[in-house]
């Protein structure tokens, strides 16, 4: 009887040890899951200077834009001062020649408007994760304004081309587009558009409407505009709050992507004043461990 009681006690202790061990393992797994929800920063530019290791000017003619993108901040189109980047559209006193080419090699016509556009292509390119920029506009929206903060696949075949694998046309995989912030002044005030461009499987064939939505924001005040990959979804946030989600679209962007900041003039509507400004406090990319 004593032996039976002894073995029963050992069995109870053994079961207790197993239960405690399981609970500890569950706690460890929970901790791992909690850690995986934490974002780590692997790129941050707070624009104390213009860092050529992070950005380069992008001079290209797209969307029939009426301005000319110029390099090196010519005419004051790109300026870093007081800890922020300013990208501008500037109205000149007279028309000047423009060397921007479209994807078919056609040269932009002479224009009285010049502007700034930078990209992190061949500099800072990341697979998935989370991209955020804090920015504001100089006004709440005017006709012909077309500023944007967006991502493009790193194998895009548009200028500048520096690697052999940059040979994929927009918007096929490898050259896909995600718009985090886009404002079209001809159609909206204190609103912006966010969402993914859906590839239709051919060069230059993209669906601009089905996966993009407009949202209110006071454009001349500071806001954080971000997109993150959450599982298979793309999640868009304004000041950290989810405002929109492209369900299942995240898996369609497996490629490294680079960031673009630009201010364009999109139509022939006359420009009020001499300049429009998009001011950027910082850009960052984060990843989960």
């Amino acid at each position: 009887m004593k032996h039976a009681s002894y073995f029963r006690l050992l069995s109870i202790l053994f079961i207790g040890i197993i239960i405690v061990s399981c609970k500890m393992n569950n706690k460890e797994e929970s901790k791992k899951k909690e850690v995986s929800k934490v974002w780590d920063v692997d790129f941050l530019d707070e624009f104390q200077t213009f860092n050529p290791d992070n950005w380069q000017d992008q001079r290209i003619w797209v969307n029939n834009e009426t301005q000319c993108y110029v390099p090196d901040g010519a005419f004051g189109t790109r300026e870093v001062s007081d800890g922020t980047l300013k990208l501008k559209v500037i109205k000149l006193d007279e028309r000047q020649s423009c060397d921007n080419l479209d994807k078919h090699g056609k040269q932009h016509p002479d224009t009285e408007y010049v502007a700034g556009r930078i990209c992190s292509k061949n500099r800072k390119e990341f697979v998935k994760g989370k991209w955020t920029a804090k920015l504001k506009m100089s006004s709440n929206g005017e006709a012909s304004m077309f500023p944007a903060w967006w991502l493009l696949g790193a194998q895009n075949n548009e200028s500048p081309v520096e690697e052999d694998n940059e040979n994929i046309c927009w918007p096929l995989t490898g050259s896909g587009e995600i718009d985090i912030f886009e404002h079209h002044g001809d159609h909206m005030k204190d609103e912006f558009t966010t969402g993914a461009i859906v590839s239709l499987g051919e060069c230059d064939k993209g669906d601009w409407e089905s996966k993009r939505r407009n949202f209110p924001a006071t454009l001349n005040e500071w806001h954080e505009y971000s997109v993150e990959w959450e599982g298979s979804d793309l999640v868009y946030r304004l000041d950290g709050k989810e405002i929109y989600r492209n369900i299942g679209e995240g898996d369609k962007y497996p490629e490294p992507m680079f960031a673009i900041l630009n201010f364009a003039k999109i139509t022939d509507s006359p420009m009020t004043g001499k300049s429009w400004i998009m001011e950027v406090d910082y850009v960052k990319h984060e990843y989960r461990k």
Side-chain angles (χ1 to χ4, degrees), residues 66-85:
T66 59
Q67 88 297 323
C68 182
Y69 289 121
V70 293
D72 303 320
F75 305 102
T77 51
R78 166 168 61 77
E79 173 190 339
V80 175
S81 60
D82 302 320
T84 65
L85 165 74

Side-chain angles (χ1 to χ4, degrees), residues 10-271:
L10 282 179
S11 298
I12 293 169
L13 289 172
F14 182 70
I15 292 170
I17 290 170
I18 291 174
I19 292 171
V20 170
S21 177
C22 288
K23 286 183 177 179
M24 290 179 68
N25 287 335
N26 288 338
K27 285 183 179 179
E28 288 300 316
E29 288 299 318
S30 296
K31 285 182 180 179
K32 287 180 182 179
K33 289 179 180 178
E34 287 176 8
V35 170
S36 69
K37 293 180 181 179
V38 175
W39 290 105
D40 286 300
V41 177
D42 52 2
F43 169 58
L44 173 64
D45 194 329
E46 297 179 296
F47 296 109
Q48 299 304 309
T49 62
F50 183 81
N51 189 341
D53 291 334
N54 295 340
W55 308 98
Q56 61 174 318
D57 292 310
Q58 189 171 31
R59 300 160 67 193
I60 186 172
W61 183 23
V62 292
N63 301 323
N64 290 317
E65 295 167 2
T66 59
Q67 88 297 323
C68 182
Y69 289 121
V70 293
D72 303 320
F75 305 102
T77 51
R78 166 168 61 77
E79 173 190 339
V80 175
S81 60
D82 302 320
T84 65
L85 165 74
K86 289 91 171 171
L87 293 178
K88 306 175 187 179
V89 179
I90 304 288
K91 182 180 180 181
L92 304 177
D93 293 330
E94 58 183 6
R95 289 178 176 269
Q96 298 201 15
S97 63
C98 177
D99 62 0
N100 293 183
L101 304 177
D102 71 8
K103 61 182 66 181
H104 306 293
K106 182 180 178 181
Q107 186 170 342
H108 194 293
D110 293 355
T111 177
E112 61 187 314
Y113 301 104
V114 290
R117 171 172 171 146
I118 63 171
C119 69
S120 67
K121 188 177 185 182
N122 306 117
R123 305 293 191 269
K124 303 297 179 181
E125 302 171 342
F126 301 97
V127 176
K128 300 185 177 182
K130 179 180 181 180
W131 285 93
T132 305
K134 184 177 180 181
L135 59 88
K136 69 175 180 177
M137 311 304 303
S138 55
S139 77
N140 301 90
E142 297 176 33
S144 197
M145 274 189 170
F146 196 42
W149 149 237
W150 51 296
L151 309 177
L152 197 58
Q155 292 177 268
N156 176 259
N157 64 355
E158 298 168 354
S159 178
V161 173
E162 299 179 4
E163 303 290 343
D164 291 339
N165 68 349
E166 293 171 28
N167 55 10
I168 297 179
C169 60
W170 175 92
L172 302 182
T173 301
S175 187
E177 177 177 341
I178 299 172
D179 296 331
I180 308 171
F181 167 91
E182 182 178 282
H183 171 73
H184 202 315
D186 287 290
H187 306 299
M188 56 179 68
K189 284 194 174 183
D190 275 335
E191 281 189 312
F192 71 101
T193 302
T194 195
I197 304 296
V198 178
S199 172
L200 299 180
E202 297 180 39
C203 289
D204 302 326
K205 300 292 184 182
D207 170 6
W208 294 80
E209 297 181 358
S210 66
K211 301 296 181 181
R212 305 202 316 163
R213 297 291 183 272
N214 296 341
F215 294 93
T218 307
L219 298 181
N220 64 351
E221 295 180 357
W222 289 109
H223 295 290
E224 289 182 332
Y225 301 90
S226 69
V227 65
E228 67 185 70
W229 277 254
E230 185 178 275
S232 296
D233 298 346
L234 293 173
V235 180
Y236 303 86
R237 299 185 187 275
L238 175 63
D239 297 325
K241 180 181 179 181
E242 180 179 337
I243 56 170
Y244 185 47
R245 181 180 291 251
N246 287 150
I247 297 174
E249 290 297 306
D251 291 339
K252 298 178 183 178
Y253 297 85
E255 70 265 37
M257 304 193 81
F258 62 89
I260 301 172
L261 290 158
N262 69 283
F263 205 150
K265 187 177 183 299
I266 192 66
T267 65
D268 291 325
S269 296
M271 181 177 177

